[in-house]
Amino acid sequence: MTDRGDGAGDRDRAVTVQIGAVILFGFLIVALSMYQATVVPDQNREVEFLHNQEVQTDVVELSDSVAAAGRVGSAAPQTVKLGTRYPSRAFFVNPPPATGRLSTNRSAADVSLSNVSVLRPDGAVDDEANDYWNDTEPVEFDTAFLVYEPRYNNYREAPTTRYESGVVFNRFPSGSTLNVTDQRLVDGDRITLVVVKGDLSASGVDATSVDPSAVSVVTRRERIAGGATITVPSTRGANVWRGPELLNVSGNPYVDDVVDAGDGRVSIQFDETRNTSLGVAVVDVGDGADTVAAPDPAYLSVERAPSVASNGTTREVVVEVRDRYGNPVDDATVSASATNDGTFATGTLATGEDGLATFEYTPGDTGTEELRFGTPDLTGFDADEPLDANVSVEVNAGAAGAGDGGATDPNPPDSVVLVDSFRKNQTTAVLQLENRGTETVNSSAVRINFFSDGGGQTPTYADLISASESPRLDIAGPSENATIEFEPGQPVNVCYVFDESLRGDEFFVSTYAFDAEFSEQYFVGLTDSEDVQCGGSAGDGGDGGDGGGTPPSVQNGIEYDGNLGSGGSGSAVVFDVTNTNSQTVRINRIEVESRIGDAQRIWDTDGPGQFGYEVYIPGGQNTGFAEAGNPQNFDPGDAAFTADGSTISLSSNAVLAGSGGADSATVTVGDFGRVFGNGNNFDPYDFGTLDRVGSGADWDVSVTLRFQSLGDVTFYFREA
């Protein structure tokens, strides 16, 4: 018989297949679970990490915008991407989107300034300003921190990014900190406090826009004597501020020490022998625009007045009103009176945007006359009160009077008088001289008697480019032949090009001999700046025989090494410099200005490298660079730098060692060109041949290197 079987074998085989399928399905479930538990969190952690890098850049750009608003009065709104979403997954589950919070921390302690003594341009103590600043109690301002706090699901070690007292840094959960930017509180002899106002609180996933609004703008700075103490709020201790990552006290000649002041503050003690320049800006970052009111007048001072005046003449007296932060107040009412029959053409004036009110004063009887000024009026006048000020004038019957130009002008009415003085650019000072007589006169010799640097870099000489001989005048040196023609009633802009950068709190004294056998001495203040043409109506004045003077080979210890060119594209400015100082220097910002209409923007369409960044400075201990935006992600109309003299902060600082290392670097800025169409097209400008020229010449492009603990250095170039 044939064994037909009972079907058990087939059934066994079927069960085996089913069991295998179940086991495979189980392996799949385990694999998917492990992927969900390990791979998905790792991928999401990477998404969060990349977002954190982006948001740190957002906070840096926001801090730049806050600083710009305090410096120039306006700034572009900045977007901060608060959170991020994870990529979509078909078979796996994502956690909720990662969120973040940007807010002002109003618990920050106050800024405090003590032992502040304001100086006048001639170095004397400014008693009127010190009625406010040098009171018995410290001057205090409340401020806030800007804080971004991430709320990630996987990147648990993510830092909180904070903007505190002029520096952006990360604070990690471990408590350690790491700078994202350099500190901007103390830059050489310049102290700049940015007071943050307003209430800001934004949280979620999407981006939020912050529009910093200027409340008080640093358009004028106060020069202060050494020995001041400035206390700022900080969640980092004095040991961090004292170290190389912030103030580097051991290598900073302007700072003596930093000490903990308690209540979350540190006190910066400045060197008693070095003067500094103080500016305090106030910026509102609140949710609503203009939520912080403009500050009221806090003190008044006499900016310019004659010390001697002739009976019957009319002289200008300039009074300045400043707010509690030391900045000019617009549209403030100022009243004036004289005590000895002197009169003012208008007894009450309103200040302009520069905080100045200019009165026309006519002396009365001979003798000493007191001029009184008050805001808003003279009720209860007290010269020791900050809102009142006075000055004494010796009135004579027609003797020589003191001028009211840029500083002091001790000239008789029929001589060549100093009408005004100011800075034309970084290294050029301008004396506006006018012949008040009836006959044409010529200068025959000029010298610079004295230069007051106020604690900065002291020039050693100046080229008098407005004289036909263009003589080089050594500071405190002998008189040099210098011929400048002065026609009656025609102002002449006489230009001095110095070998070091000039500051608004400096002044110098210059003596002129004239062929009519008389001489004049001028006290030249440099508080204001104005871009004027050197020379004037006199045909022999002009810009000097060499087209603006020979540019200095060394400025602030930075030597120009030449190798000037326009790069491989023909649209860049490229040159070499060497640090001849004994100390290491750090370039952290750059300013570029172009006078060429088709070269007003800076944009590079190449990849990274010397001509891949808009600013590239290799060659030292660290390569400096700044990039406007990746050409693959941005249009030039949105991202290209503007060559209008605005400050460009370097993403990475250029660091040059001093003597012993004597680092050299190649500075590359470009490409220059114009944006057209809808902003997505860029047309490079072809420079051809470039020459370096002096600051008083007709230049086309200027490049200013700004150093962290050194004066600015500016180079001027012209197309051949």
Side-chain angles (χ1 to χ4, degrees), residues 388-403:
D388 293 328
N390 66 337
V391 64
S392 295
V393 180
E394 292 297 324
V395 181
N396 56 45

Side-chain angles (χ1 to χ4, degrees), residues 229-242 257-269:
T229 297
I230 296 180
T231 302
V232 296
S234 177
T235 59
R236 306 164 92 181
N239 60 323
V240 178
W241 278 90
R242 197 182 297 117
D257 199 5
V258 183
V259 298
D260 288 310
D263 298 325
R265 301 196 301 172
V266 295
S267 291
I268 304 170
Q269 300 169 350

Side-chain angles (χ1 to χ4, degrees), residues 554-589:
V554 179
Q555 303 174 73
N556 291 343
I558 303 301
E559 183 176 13
Y560 175 77
D561 286 340
N563 294 325
L564 176 63
S566 54
S569 65
S571 303
V573 173
V574 185
F575 58 95
D576 291 345
V577 296
T578 295
N579 175 27
T580 65
N581 292 284
S582 59
Q583 76 272 22
T584 296
V585 298
R586 182 187 298 265
I587 305 171
N588 58 6
R589 286 167 287 171

Side-chain angles (χ1 to χ4, degrees), residues 481-540:
N481 293 335
T483 304
I484 307 173
E485 185 179 56
F486 297 91
E487 296 180 348
Q490 299 295 324
V492 177
N493 294 324
V494 180
C495 292
Y496 295 64
V497 180
F498 288 85
D499 62 334
E500 298 286 358
S501 296
L502 302 175
R503 298 181 183 274
D505 49 4
E506 296 173 333
F507 73 95
F508 65 93
V509 178
S510 188
T511 298
Y512 280 58
F514 293 87
D515 56 10
E517 297 184 349
F518 68 96
S519 63
E520 299 291 354
Q521 187 176 87
Y522 305 110
F523 293 77
V524 185
L526 301 175
T527 302
D528 299 325
S529 61
E530 184 177 351
D531 189 18
V532 298
Q533 182 68 34
C534 294
S537 60
D540 293 335

Side-chain angles (χ1 to χ4, degrees), residues 98-297:
T99 64
R101 182 171 185 263
L102 179 68
S103 62
T104 48
N105 184 341
R106 303 297 303 175
S107 64
D110 289 346
V111 175
S112 173
L113 296 92
S114 58
N115 200 31
V116 173
S117 179
V118 177
L119 304 176
R120 300 185 64 83
D122 61 1
V125 174
D126 189 335
D127 293 329
E128 301 294 351
N130 286 319
D131 287 342
Y132 171 74
W133 287 105
N134 203 12
D135 200 2
T136 55
E137 297 295 327
V139 177
E140 296 186 338
F141 315 120
D142 63 289
T143 188
F145 299 151
L146 276 171
V147 182
Y148 172 77
E149 301 171 275
R151 296 169 181 171
Y152 296 133
N153 296 298
N154 298 283
Y155 182 25
R156 302 296 185 182
E157 306 83 17
T160 297
T161 303
R162 307 175 67 90
Y163 174 56
E164 295 183 4
S165 300
V167 61
V168 178
F169 68 94
N170 287 329
R171 182 179 295 280
F172 294 89
S174 64
S176 62
T177 62
L178 180 66
N179 282 0
V180 181
T181 67
D182 291 328
Q183 62 84 21
R184 298 177 180 175
L185 180 61
V186 181
D187 184 5
D189 68 343
R190 296 168 70 87
I191 305 167
T192 305
L193 291 164
V194 179
V195 174
V196 177
K197 297 280 192 178
D199 293 317
L200 172 65
S201 180
S203 59
V205 180
D206 297 328
T208 188
S209 180
V210 182
D211 188 6
S213 174
V215 177
S216 185
V217 182
V218 182
T219 56
R220 297 283 295 275
R221 304 176 71 89
E222 293 283 26
R223 193 66 177 173
I224 62 175
T229 297
I230 296 180
T231 302
V232 296
S234 177
T235 59
R236 306 164 92 181
N239 60 323
V240 178
W241 278 90
R242 197 182 297 117
E245 61 268 45
L246 289 177
L247 291 177
N248 189 25
V249 170
S250 62
N252 191 327
Y254 292 95
V255 178
D256 266 351
D257 199 5
V258 183
V259 298
D260 288 310
D263 298 325
R265 301 196 301 172
V266 295
S267 291
I268 304 170
Q269 300 169 350
F270 288 87
D271 186 270
E272 293 184 354
T273 65
R274 294 177 179 268
N275 300 335
T276 52
S277 172
L278 173 66
V280 183
V282 183
V283 179
D284 179 13
V285 297
D287 296 326
D290 301 323
T291 57
V292 179
D296 293 328

